Amino acid sequence: MLKKLTVLGVIFINSSFLYSNEILTGDTKLSCEAILCLSSNTKPKECNPSLNRYFSINHKKWNDTLKARGNFLKLCPIGDEGEKDREFTNLRDNIIKNLKNGCDLDKLNVAIKSRKNLNNDEYSFNYQIFYQISPTLNQSCKALASSVYTNINPIYTCDPNKWYLEEDWKNGYEKVAEKSISYPEYRELTSTEQSEYAKVSFKKYVKYKNIPINKNCWIWSK
């Protein structure tokens, strides 16, 4: 923890006057900001210039992109002690350099996973499609979370074994059977009461309740 505070503290000190341009300017300033912003689970709007600059570094060949991004990150002055710190240089020279994007909850919570199940019963023979927010971290988040110099540790709060029917997923709520009755029982209901039931077979009617689907499954660990 002390090493973490020491090296990132140096970067922060060098970057503490970023907006007054009293210490660092140009790409040197942006490189320090990029390291700080990509290492944090909080990215205020002030991070936009540095992140846009960093991810705009692209060449036709990926190896050339990696080299150029690595050179950009090394513009941030961290001193001899920082260069000797293998944990930090690994973050700068390997993890951040190889990122294709950062790690943020908005992207994790729109990563949808689907599967098909064969529905074969006495009334139908077809495939049903099910959806969920993927419980698997993307490569960028995995890489950043592996470093002691980041506070990036997203956790999945939904049930990874829970899948939702395509119709329910699109509606935003799950139809859960609350009560089932037979056809004779259905005939005894008033028209208003009958409207609350759906016919699932010739002999069976079901009353459903709508339960909202939580699609914000990923949160930051506190």
Side-chain angles (χ1 to χ4, degrees):
M1 179 61 72
L2 181 60
K3 289 174 66 179
K4 178 177 179 180
L5 291 175
T6 300
V7 178
L8 290 188
V10 170
I11 296 177
F12 179 75
I13 291 171
N14 283 337
S15 306
S16 61
F17 298 102
L18 292 177
Y19 311 112
S20 62
N21 295 320
E22 290 181 23
I23 295 182
L24 303 181
T25 60
D27 278 354
T28 303
K29 163 187 167 182
L30 293 176
S31 66
C32 290
E33 281 190 73
I35 294 172
L36 284 170
C37 291
L38 288 169
S39 300
S40 173
N41 61 24
T42 303
K43 294 178 178 61
K45 63 181 181 180
E46 287 81 8
C47 283
N48 292 341
S50 62
L51 296 182
N52 291 338
R53 174 69 180 96
Y54 179 69
F55 288 114
S56 71
I57 301 174
N58 286 296
H59 296 275
K60 290 183 178 180
K61 294 183 178 180
W62 180 239
N63 284 340
D64 292 336
T65 297
L66 291 180
K67 183 177 180 180
R69 288 184 177 182
N71 290 336
F72 171 80
L73 294 173
K74 287 182 179 179
L75 292 175
C76 182
I78 60 172
D80 293 338
E81 289 302 313
E83 294 293 347
K84 293 177 183 178
D85 188 326
R86 292 184 180 180
E87 286 284 353
F88 177 78
T89 55
N90 179 56
L91 171 66
R92 182 193 65 185
D93 301 339
N94 295 312
I95 296 176
I96 292 180
K97 186 177 76 172
N98 284 280
L99 294 178
K100 292 189 176 180
N101 46 60
C103 179
D104 63 73
L105 298 184
D106 289 339
K107 291 182 180 179
L108 289 175
N109 283 320
V110 294
I112 300 172
K113 189 176 180 181
S114 65
R115 76 177 188 189
K116 286 184 178 181
N117 281 7
L118 179 62
N119 180 29
N120 184 11
D121 57 34
E122 59 180 314
Y123 300 104
S124 62
F125 182 85
N126 52 46
Y127 284 98
Q128 290 181 311
I129 302 176
F130 293 81
Y131 294 97
Q132 68 172 188
I133 297 297
S134 176
T136 304
L137 279 178
N138 60 39
Q139 290 302 313
S140 294
C141 291
K142 284 182 180 179
L144 288 166
S146 70
S147 174
V148 298
Y149 282 99
T150 73
N151 66 346
I152 292 176
N153 187 24
I155 57 174
Y156 191 80
T157 59
C158 296
D159 183 354
N161 298 312
K162 179 68 175 177
W163 294 81
Y164 297 94
L165 282 167
E166 181 178 24
E167 180 183 358
D168 292 344
W169 186 263
K170 291 180 178 178
N171 290 334
Y173 56 83
E174 182 183 19
K175 292 172 62 177
V176 178
E178 187 175 24
K179 183 180 181 181
S180 62
I181 59 176
S182 64
Y183 178 66
E185 291 174 312
Y186 177 79
R187 289 286 304 271
E188 294 295 322
L189 300 177
T190 65
S191 58
T192 300
E193 291 172 330
Q194 287 180 350
S195 67
E196 298 176 349
Y197 287 80
K199 183 179 179 181
V200 296
S201 71
F202 180 72
K203 299 179 180 180
K204 185 178 180 180
Y205 289 77
V206 175
K207 181 179 181 180
Y208 293 96
K209 61 180 178 180
N210 298 331
I211 300 179
I213 297 174
N214 175 26
K215 297 182 181 180
N216 293 315
C217 295
W218 289 99
I219 64 172
W220 293 122
S221 175
K222 296 180 180 179

